[in-house]
Amino acid sequence: MMNNPAAAMRMLMTYAVCIPLAIFVGYLLTNPLDYGSLGFLGFVLMVMFSPPLIKFHYEIMLFALGSPIVLFFIVMRPPMGQAMVLVSLTIAIVERTLSRRRRFVNVPSMTWPMFFILAVVILTMELTGGMGFHSFGSSGGGGRKYIVLFVSILTYFAITSRPFPPENRNFYIALYFLAGLPSFIGDIGPYLPSPLNYVNLLIPPSLDASAIHVLGDVQTTISRFGAVSTTMGVLTSFMLVKWGLRGIFMGNRLWRTVAFIACALLSLVGGYRSTAVGLLLIIGVMFFMEGLHRTRLLGVFLFGFIFMGALLVPLSNKLPMNVQRSLTFLPLNWSAEAIIQAEGSSEWRLRIWRDLWPKVPQYLLLGKGYAMSAEDYQSIGEGVFAGGYAAAMDASQEALAISADYHNGPLSALIPFGIWGAIGFLWMMFAGLRVLYRNHKYSEPELRTVNAFFMGTYIVQILTFFFIFGAFQDDVGKFARVIGISIALNGGLLGPKVNPVVIPRIKPQRIPVTA
């Protein structure tokens, strides 16, 4: 070392930087951590892990998009997926600038509607009060929803910044889907002994563990395990992606069938009717897309549903309360408590939709945006809607309505962004449907199952957005992820394979020479 001045200088420079930094970090750890200290520590860790981050940023982003982890040391506790989209897209742009071989997977039919939505959002934001952050001390707010919407649009470009390598396709798909497995910690984390319960800093506790609902003069409380339901949904989705219904029920692997049915049933513990309806829809869509209605499995499924229905008739009011709530859309003899929960939720949604639809015409040309004034926060603080489904005279003045949480897809596009937001969303939706349809129709044989799942999921998301539950800022991201992964997986927009025209070569004939 002493005979190598360059190595000695690098060692001295390393010590000169690391020792003071270690002392400063140790000092921070001896004091109560505020957001400034946590932010600095996060920056230090990011610098320390920057080499693997730069090399594997794309893989980390795919994992983060499906992961429930939040960055608790940053104000507003953003999901890890939002941060990694920004980091990965920035690195991808720099790589593209430095190397011509690093090309984004360009599909113009999807690029233009994304840019259109972005332009509509920016113009509306500028004309309706800008972007305020109440968490940073601003008197107004609404900036969080703008950030979610901006990142949702950028998610598409981050995912399509490169195609999936053919040899790593299965790994990337598993990385994206299985990242959501730890979601169940959100339900069990608060009950863990210290210091294990600190895991809820990374995976926040579920807010649905004890949901209170009011219908008339009756108040009910049902324990709901939405995070456990999410984990079960992750498993069912991954099984459908990997094997499809054909591989699960006709692959001569009994454990697959048992595991899929068990996960599907356990997903009902969240108490969400949308979970049960969505699962039935995706199974129905994939059943026909895989052509299983032309096999003996059609009779098996019909018999299975009839058998399950026959079991539910006598046992309906004896099931766990959260499972009953998930299935109350079926006309069976459910317990009064489950019916009160379900009807209370439905009644509030119908009231808010009824009171908000008359306000749509005034926002058609210029939407309301997401900006919230100090008066809006004051009215929210007065408890117009706190915990239960309040019976306000005008539901459009309740806290969720004021904060643009309309629980309705069309309303969430029309009121904040007017007719232009609706046009942009429909444009993106139909362009994405075309991409998924072509990628499924002209798919490589080994990708046919996963492409069928993406198209089936996309169709279910469309139906959910319009008829069950929708939020513009969230659904743009959901649609962008499905479309982006399909494009990256298939290497772009597929089309019919054109067989090359072979022009036969004509051998010149030798003319015999006569003597």
Side-chain angles (χ1 to χ4, degrees):
M1 180 68 69
M2 299 301 295
N3 297 328
N4 191 339
M9 182 59 67
R10 286 196 298 268
M11 181 185 68
L12 291 175
M13 291 179 64
T14 302
Y15 286 157
V17 172
C18 292
I19 292 177
L21 183 62
I23 294 173
F24 183 66
V25 171
Y27 168 76
L28 291 178
L29 293 175
T30 60
N31 294 284
L33 296 177
D34 55 12
Y35 274 118
S37 300
L38 288 172
F40 179 78
L41 291 175
F43 174 76
V44 171
L45 291 174
M46 186 172 178
V47 172
M48 291 175 59
F49 291 100
S50 57
L53 179 64
I54 293 174
K55 184 175 181 179
F56 301 108
H57 66 92
Y58 191 81
E59 292 80 1
I60 297 173
M61 179 201 64
L62 287 178
F63 172 84
L65 285 174
S67 172
I69 295 175
V70 300
L71 303 182
F72 64 92
F73 49 85
I74 300 179
V75 179
M76 297 192 303
R77 299 165 61 87
M80 181 184 175
Q82 291 184 2
M84 278 309 305
V85 163
L86 300 178
V87 172
S88 181
L89 183 59
T90 301
I91 295 175
I93 292 174
V94 173
E95 289 177 343
R96 173 65 183 90
T97 305
L98 298 177
S99 174
R100 293 183 178 180
R101 292 182 298 175
R102 293 287 191 180
R103 292 184 177 274
F104 284 56
V105 185
N106 184 28
V107 179
S109 61
M110 282 305 307
T111 303
W112 288 113
M114 290 295 182
F115 281 143
F116 181 83
I117 294 175
L118 184 62
V120 169
V121 172
I122 293 176
L123 184 61
T124 303
M125 181 182 68
E126 292 297 327
L127 297 177
T128 56
M131 184 167 57
F133 291 94
H134 198 67
S135 302
F136 289 99
S138 174
S139 59
R144 181 191 293 268
K145 284 187 172 60
Y146 280 120
I147 292 296
V148 171
L149 189 48
F150 289 144
V151 175
S152 295
I153 296 171
L154 296 179
T155 298
Y156 168 79
F157 296 100
I159 295 175
T160 57
S161 62
R162 65 170 69 168
F164 288 0
E167 66 276 10
N168 291 332
R169 286 169 174 170
N170 292 333
F171 171 70
Y172 281 10
I173 291 296
L175 195 66
Y176 173 74
F177 279 95
L178 297 182
L181 285 179
S183 297
F184 71 94
I185 295 175
D187 282 335
I188 69 171
Y191 304 102
L192 295 175
S194 182
L196 295 179
N197 57 1
Y198 281 99
V199 71
N200 280 139
L201 289 175
L202 286 175
I203 302 176
S206 174
L207 300 178
D208 300 318
S210 182
I212 301 173
H213 295 263
V214 177
L215 182 63
D217 298 328
V218 181
Q219 178 174 304
T220 63
T221 303
I222 292 180
S223 296
R224 297 164 64 178
F225 302 98
V228 173
S229 176
T230 300
T231 296
M232 294 300 107
V234 167
L235 290 173
T236 55
S237 296
F238 181 71
M239 293 180 72
L240 288 173
V241 165
K242 187 168 182 61
W243 299 302
L245 289 173
R246 184 183 297 273
I248 293 173
F249 291 95
M250 299 180 67
N252 295 325
R253 298 289 190 276
L254 182 61
W255 69 268
R256 294 181 186 175
T257 304
V258 174
F260 181 80
I261 294 175
C263 290
L265 294 177
L266 287 173
S267 68
L268 302 179
V269 300
Y272 294 103
R273 288 167 291 178
S274 58
T275 300
V277 174
L279 183 60
L280 290 175
L281 286 175
I282 186 63
I283 290 175
V285 172
M286 287 197 66
F287 191 86
F288 284 94
M289 290 186 66
E290 294 184 33
L292 299 179
H293 57 287
R294 295 188 293 267
T295 67
R296 57 185 173 82
L297 200 60
L298 176 62
V300 174
F301 265 53
L302 289 176
F303 175 79
F305 281 119
I306 293 172
F307 179 74
M308 292 294 293
L311 283 180
L312 280 176
V313 171
L315 299 176
S316 57
N317 58 1
K318 297 179 177 62
L319 295 172
M321 203 60 63
N322 45 2
V323 176
Q324 289 189 47
R325 191 188 187 282
S326 297
L327 299 174
T328 50
F329 62 92
L330 298 175
L332 298 175
N333 183 30
W334 307 111
S335 66
E337 191 172 1
I339 293 175
I340 289 173
Q341 281 261 344
E343 290 185 355
S345 173
S346 299
E347 180 181 317
W348 174 79
R349 291 173 188 245
L350 292 174
R351 285 193 305 105
I352 196 171
W353 299 346
R354 178 198 65 203
D355 294 337
L356 280 171
W357 272 111
K359 300 180 182 293
V360 169
Q362 71 184 84
Y363 296 116
L364 276 181
L365 294 181
L366 177 62
K368 180 183 178 182
Y370 291 138
M372 296 177 61
S373 64
E375 291 77 13
D376 292 333
Y377 274 100
Q378 182 179 358
S379 62
I380 292 175
E382 291 174 354
V384 181
F385 178 84
Y389 296 101
M393 293 299 295
D394 185 359
S396 64
Q397 300 303 313
E398 292 183 1
L400 288 179
I402 294 174
S403 60
D405 290 322
Y406 306 122
H407 288 59
N408 179 274
L411 283 176
S412 68
L414 287 168
I415 293 181
F417 303 107
I419 190 65
W420 314 111
I423 291 174
F425 188 86
L426 292 174
W427 185 4
M428 178 196 71
M429 184 186 74
F430 285 113
L433 187 62
R434 174 176 174 267
V435 168
L436 294 170
Y437 170 76
R438 289 172 65 92
N439 284 353
H440 172 257
K441 182 177 181 179
Y442 304 111
S443 171
E444 298 177 16
E446 61 269 19
L447 297 179
R448 192 167 299 279
T449 298
V450 63
N451 282 322
F453 174 81
F454 283 135
M455 186 173 176
T457 301
Y458 193 81
I459 293 172
V460 172
Q461 286 180 354
I462 292 174
L463 296 175
T464 302
F465 179 83
F466 283 101
F467 302 109
I468 300 177
F469 174 86
F472 183 79
Q473 73 278 4
D474 295 325
D475 282 278
V476 168
K478 293 177 183 178
F479 282 43
R481 284 196 293 271
V482 174
I483 300 166
I485 291 179
S486 175
I487 291 174
L489 177 68
N490 294 278
L493 177 63
L494 300 182
K497 296 180 180 180
V498 180
N499 295 323
V501 178
V502 179
I503 301 177
R505 296 180 61 184
I506 302 175
K507 295 182 179 180
Q509 296 182 354
R510 293 184 178 181
I511 302 176
V513 179
T514 57

